[in-house]
Amino acid sequence: MNMQDRPRDLSPAFSGEHSWCRDKMMLSEDLAGGVPLPAFFRDGGFQRAIDRYAEVCGGSDRRAIVSMWSLYYFSGLSIPYLLARRLAAQALPVAFEEMTIALDDAGLPRAFGVPHAGTIESEIETESFATVGPLLETHLGEAVMRLKACGISAKLCWNNAAVYIDYALRLTGEEPSGGPDLPLFLRGCLPDGGVNPFCGCVTYLDEEGEQVARRKVCCLRYMLPGIPSCGKLCALPSQRNPQ
């Protein structure tokens, strides 16, 4: 891709070591091949994407294929959003109904499009519930509902989203990189009193003096050929191969 073909920078946070985010989230008008998310899930685009990814990866378990696909979805969505919020005080418009998605040749999420650059807030939000709140309220629930309809549990979906949210919050916040657990994953209730779907999703444990992150629910990647283990992060003891 030459410089003239590159999408315009959506956020000042997408620079330096985070410049890869430019290719993961951009204005919808700059996203080649973008499809509105509601139409993508409603009109068969998602099923075709899963069929294509199953063909490419050689997997036979539909649950594992959908789960792996969702990992790409949640990483490409949540990490750029949280980097912009934490590093540039920028609230990107990530409502499910207003975004677009484009796929790569394997059927995996390649990039997301947003309708505009959002707003710049008066100060950077550091509290984890407040930071994640708009993403949770306007997008994640809608995505989980559609993924759940394809045969994987809501708990698995939320855990797949949680690992990337934990990563981005630690990368940009004041919390140390190896624990303790973030409030977002400790409290059973959201600030509005609702059930917190992230509670317990990521826990930090002390193993022989090392702080190790651990998922609550396995992502099933071990059921796909050629996909490496997520190591000590895995919820299943049998799959925690040294990395």
Side-chain angles (χ1 to χ4, degrees), residues 81-92 119-127 130-131 134 172 174:
Y81 171 80
L82 292 171
L83 288 179
R85 193 92 194 270
R86 279 280 183 92
L87 298 180
Q90 183 179 7
L92 293 173
T119 59
I120 301 298
E121 301 174 329
S122 59
E123 60 183 23
I124 292 176
E125 182 59 69
T126 59
E127 199 279 320
T131 304
T172 59
E174 299 177 358

Side-chain angles (χ1 to χ4, degrees), residues 23-145:
D23 296 322
K24 293 298 181 182
M25 188 170 287
M26 62 192 73
L27 292 172
S28 291
E29 61 191 77
D30 292 338
L31 179 55
V35 177
L37 271 172
F40 172 74
F41 281 97
R42 182 187 64 240
D43 299 337
F46 174 65
Q47 294 295 344
R48 290 191 293 273
I50 293 299
D51 290 342
R52 173 57 179 161
Y53 182 52
E55 178 185 357
V56 170
C57 75
S60 59
D61 190 288
R62 195 76 168 180
R63 296 171 305 152
I65 293 166
V66 173
S67 177
M68 195 70 190
W69 190 94
S70 78
L71 290 171
Y72 284 83
Y73 185 103
F74 291 129
S75 63
L77 170 72
S78 60
I79 297 176
Y81 171 80
L82 292 171
L83 288 179
R85 193 92 194 270
R86 279 280 183 92
L87 298 180
Q90 183 179 7
L92 293 173
V94 289
F96 180 89
E97 294 82 2
E98 299 178 357
M99 291 182 64
T100 58
I101 187 172
L103 307 179
D104 65 15
D105 291 340
L108 292 168
R110 171 173 61 83
F112 289 96
V114 294
H116 53 83
T119 59
I120 301 298
E121 301 174 329
S122 59
E123 60 183 23
I124 292 176
E125 182 59 69
T126 59
E127 199 279 320
S128 57
F129 279 101
T131 304
V132 175
L135 184 64
L136 174 62
E137 296 161 8
T138 68
H139 193 120
L140 293 179
E142 294 289 336
V144 169
M145 179 175 64

